Amino acid sequence: MMTYQAPALIIGNELRKGRSRSDFAVINPATEEVLGELAFASGADVADALASAERGFAEWRKVGPWARSDMLRKIAGLIRERMPEIARLLTMEVGKPIGEAEAEVISGAEHFEWAADQARQLSGETVNSRGPGGRGLMTYEPVGVVLALTAWNFPINLSARKICMALAAGCSVIVRPAEEAPACVVAMVQCCVDAGLPAGAITLLFGTPEEVIAPLMAAPSVRKVSFTGSTRVGKILIHQSADTVKRLTMELGGHAPVLVLEDADVAFAAETAALAKFRNSGQVCAAPSRFYVHEKLADEFADGFVKVAKRLKLGNGLDRSVTMGPMTTIRQRDRAEALVADARQRGANILCGGGRPADINAGYFFEPTVMTNVHPDSEILREEPFAPVAPILPFSDVEEAIARSNALEAGLASYLFTSSLSAATMVSERIEAGMVGINTCVVAIPEGPFGGVKQSGYGREGGPTAIHDYLNIKFTHTRLL
């Protein structure tokens, strides 16, 4: 086993071992080995962290936008420099292939660079007064201490999105990552500390919702919460935010439909959609997960999808020949098995995969799975799968496909393959989703707003508007005497 140092909290720019008695075993999902024990924050740690973040906000908000921009670029440079080590930790904790891990770390650096550009564009506006001798001025001020809550599937990218925009706006930020992937986030946050942020501008905590999240949600000085996770937990946070009227960004997952129209390049669509589906073993909130294919193309699409699935090599992601790693947690593998069992019991035809690989004896591996003849009541069509399981369903009329795509309360991402500009325009306007990919499954880029509609949440991360979720607008009206 490679060297792995037990992650620590970061409070006041110093590493600290959590003082809670709860120790969490961090597991390598490819080997089931215990990498280390993660000590959670105690109530006293959380109180110290909040006080530090409040002091950090008081200092960081004084730093001008151009100086903040320079700091963010310095952080990005350190992330790029330390990418190999951060990516190695990411693969050990999450299981994704090392190439995917490296790309995620670079993407994290790119988010800091994009946020650096946004910081420099923060300028006020003047408003004409109604009478002579008056002037109106709109200025932007950082909202306050930010609480960033992230998931384990993209621990670097999700954390980077939240941290960089909070810092760009002049806020301090308390990060609470998922405990399944702690060390890689510690390594990234250490880049922020080493770049020279004032103490308390960034804080890192691990711990239970009761000991860490609940007191921070109740704290009046925590003015903004950015959360990535399940709709169930998101609703709890929305309720908790009411007492102190916090500003929220909620990215609550999805169940992305893919529409392959009759005029699509079916070979290209199958290859593109399959590679996107099996990325990170299907554990992607914006992953294509329901495949509605015109009945004339359905068989050819399924054949192409199966070809991609069968050429994937499962194994430990630290091996560069591996193209698909394990599920990150045992509960995710168990869920994949349950989804397949439910669909099979309802009559689904399993074209490939469907279970644990016979030639791998350890790790939370699940074969890339493709199925057809999927009953409409199957759980995989109703609940976000978060697994490398692809249901392919034929349709005869595009209106039918649109209706089936919009039938769920999920509305994060959607995808469309067609050769017709008019069809692409019509369908993309009718689909209920925050993001639409047309002849591509790439929708998450720093310069693009990332977020959903309906029960996939609200607010956006990335893009030119995200920084405004971390700012208050102040209007000052002056009468000149």
Side-chain angles (χ1 to χ4, degrees), residues 53-197:
E54 290 169 349
R55 292 191 297 270
F57 173 58
E59 292 300 315
W60 182 239
R61 71 177 302 172
K62 299 175 186 176
V63 178
W66 280 64
R68 294 201 299 267
S69 175
D70 291 343
M71 178 64 72
L72 290 168
R73 290 196 178 280
K74 189 174 180 181
I75 293 169
L78 287 177
I79 293 173
R80 288 180 179 276
E81 179 183 317
R82 299 175 188 179
M83 181 273 289
E85 175 61 14
I86 299 173
R88 182 184 69 85
L89 292 170
L90 175 53
T91 291
M92 292 173 71
E93 293 179 329
V94 176
K96 63 181 63 178
I98 189 66
E100 290 186 20
E102 291 170 346
E104 180 178 342
V105 177
I106 293 300
S107 177
E110 290 174 346
H111 275 89
F112 275 91
E113 290 159 352
W114 172 257
D117 291 340
Q118 297 304 296
R120 292 193 175 194
Q121 296 181 40
L122 290 177
S123 58
E125 298 179 47
T126 57
V127 179
N128 291 331
S129 180
R130 293 191 175 194
R135 177 179 299 162
L137 179 64
M138 289 192 301
T139 55
Y140 296 105
E141 297 179 349
V143 68
V145 178
V146 173
L147 175 59
L149 306 171
T150 67
W152 47 259
N153 57 326
F154 285 89
I156 296 299
N157 220 342
L158 296 176
S159 298
R161 282 178 185 166
K162 302 173 191 302
I163 293 168
C164 68
M165 281 301 174
L167 294 176
C171 301
S172 64
V173 56
I174 301 172
V175 189
R176 191 269 191 180
E179 57 267 20
E180 290 88 352
C184 61
V185 182
V186 171
M188 183 184 69
V189 172
Q190 192 63 50
C191 292
C192 299
V193 172
D194 293 346
L197 279 174

